[in-house]
Amino acid sequence: MNSFAEIPDLPATSHLAQSDLPFVTFMDGLELQVLHISIESGLWVVRTRFAPGVTLPRHKHTGEVFAITFSGSWKYLEYPDVNTAGSYLYEPAGSIHTLHVPDSNTEVTEVWFAIRGANLNLNEQGEVDSVWDAAFILETYRELCKAEGLDSSGLIIT
């Protein structure tokens, strides 16, 4: 019988249980659990929990985004599609939109995102107001965890 232990040079995998990393309040109505960061490749993988009525800043993505919705619903104000539990979303680099969670939601909206590159948050004139990228998310998550006395050491960093 073959086992993985018999395969030479098999790279190690990283595993996280649901409770291995904390959720922290990133902004009013948005909790964030950072799972994986790669500064070199610009990847940040997060689980998010949005309260009903939350709207994120309009933003442009410099890279691709992959999303799976686990509960609740959300949409981009610029598009008609609504993401509900079980939905998968792919966004090409260059997408510009405003994430909105309907006030009518009766539950928290939970979404898993894998994001390459940065969110360029735009002001009303369409100018870059702030940048959320892998380095910013890593630093912010660690600071928020530390401030709340929570352990973020299990975060996967590649």
Side-chain angles (χ1 to χ4, degrees), residues 17-99:
Q18 185 167 319
S19 61
D20 284 349
L21 289 164
F23 275 90
V24 293
T25 300
F26 181 71
M27 58 186 283
D28 191 34
L30 170 56
E31 292 182 339
L32 187 70
Q33 180 189 49
V34 179
L35 303 171
H36 184 172
I37 296 283
S38 174
I39 303 290
E40 186 176 319
S41 70
L43 174 69
W44 38 300
V45 179
V46 297
R47 283 177 60 199
T48 57
R49 293 179 180 162
F50 298 101
V54 167
T55 302
L56 293 186
R58 184 169 176 249
H59 57 276
K60 178 179 182 175
H61 288 282
T62 63
E64 297 175 302
V65 176
F66 309 88
I68 298 174
T69 302
F70 293 107
S71 65
S73 68
W74 60 283
K75 68 177 291 206
Y76 292 129
L77 295 177
E78 297 80 3
Y79 300 95
D81 303 313
V82 177
N83 299 283
T84 58
S87 296
Y88 172 76
L89 177 74
Y90 167 76
E91 300 173 27
S95 294
I96 299 175
H97 45 250
T98 309
L99 188 153

Side-chain angles (χ1 to χ4, degrees), residues 60-140:
K60 178 179 182 175
H61 288 282
T62 63
E64 297 175 302
V65 176
F66 309 88
I68 298 174
T69 302
F70 293 107
S71 65
S73 68
W74 60 283
K75 68 177 291 206
Y76 292 129
L77 295 177
E78 297 80 3
Y79 300 95
D81 303 313
V82 177
N83 299 283
T84 58
S87 296
Y88 172 76
L89 177 74
Y90 167 76
E91 300 173 27
S95 294
I96 299 175
H97 45 250
T98 309
L99 188 153
H100 175 70
V101 178
D103 291 325
S104 59
N105 277 10
T106 58
E107 62 183 325
V108 168
T109 296
E110 186 169 337
V111 185
W112 175 94
F113 290 99
I115 302 166
R116 292 200 182 275
N119 280 15
L120 305 178
N121 298 308
L122 307 172
N123 62 23
E124 290 186 17
Q125 294 75 38
E127 301 163 336
V128 176
D129 192 43
S130 63
V131 177
W132 298 348
D133 60 8
F136 170 79
I137 293 297
L138 175 60
E139 179 181 347
T140 301

